[in-house]
Amino acid sequence: MHRVCFTLQVKPDRMEEYAERHAAVWPDMLRALHDTGWHNYSLFLRDDGLLVGYLETPDLAAAQAGMAATDVNARWQAEMGEFFEELDLLPDQGFLQLAEVFHLEDQLAAHTTTTPATDQ
């Protein structure tokens, strides 16, 4: 399972409405996300409009392609696109993906399988 973190910038004057829209996402959109491989998906919004998203998926490209093939995603992305600054693509395609540099469980697993635990 791949962990994906990304950012987008919400327009300051649209932040409240953006949060309201995500407090009640359409049920068919929720099902489509789940069914196409978007798992443990969360969005975090900072008070300056920085949006940070996190999800786990077996394959991000397949998850994005799966959503692109749904009618509900086309409707949702068309509505959500207006909330973001400087976005040339649909939000689910135009986000900036961050590189993962640390994951606690991965490092713990590597240490427990290769060396005995020591305090340093």
Side-chain angles (χ1 to χ4, degrees):
M1 189 72 69
H2 299 281
R3 293 174 299 274
V4 178
C5 185
F6 63 87
T7 63
L8 288 162
Q9 186 66 41
V10 177
K11 295 175 183 174
D13 63 329
R14 303 299 303 271
M15 289 173 42
E16 185 175 330
E17 184 182 357
Y18 183 85
E20 289 171 2
R21 296 273 192 107
H22 283 81
V25 173
W26 307 331
D28 50 342
M29 183 64 173
L30 299 172
R31 282 190 302 278
L33 285 164
H34 182 268
D35 292 348
T36 59
W38 298 65
H39 304 293
N40 201 22
Y41 185 21
S42 297
L43 297 172
F44 303 88
L45 185 59
R46 197 167 68 181
D47 61 3
D48 66 354
L50 177 67
L51 181 76
V52 176
Y54 174 82
L55 67 122
E56 296 170 355
T57 184
D59 181 336
L60 180 59
Q64 289 174 309
M67 285 304 292
T70 67
D71 291 334
V72 67
N73 190 60
R75 293 191 320 271
W76 182 265
Q77 297 304 320
E79 287 194 19
M80 290 299 109
E82 67 189 43
F83 287 87
F84 299 101
E85 293 182 351
E86 301 177 21
L87 189 61
D88 297 331
L89 300 169
L90 294 173
D92 67 342
Q93 300 289 320
F95 56 69
L96 175 63
Q97 188 173 343
L98 304 178
E100 183 177 33
V101 297
F102 172 79
H103 187 251
L104 176 62
E105 283 73 17
D106 286 351
Q107 288 198 22
L108 284 172
H111 284 288
T112 59
T113 60
T114 59
T115 61
T118 61
D119 290 342
Q120 292 188 12

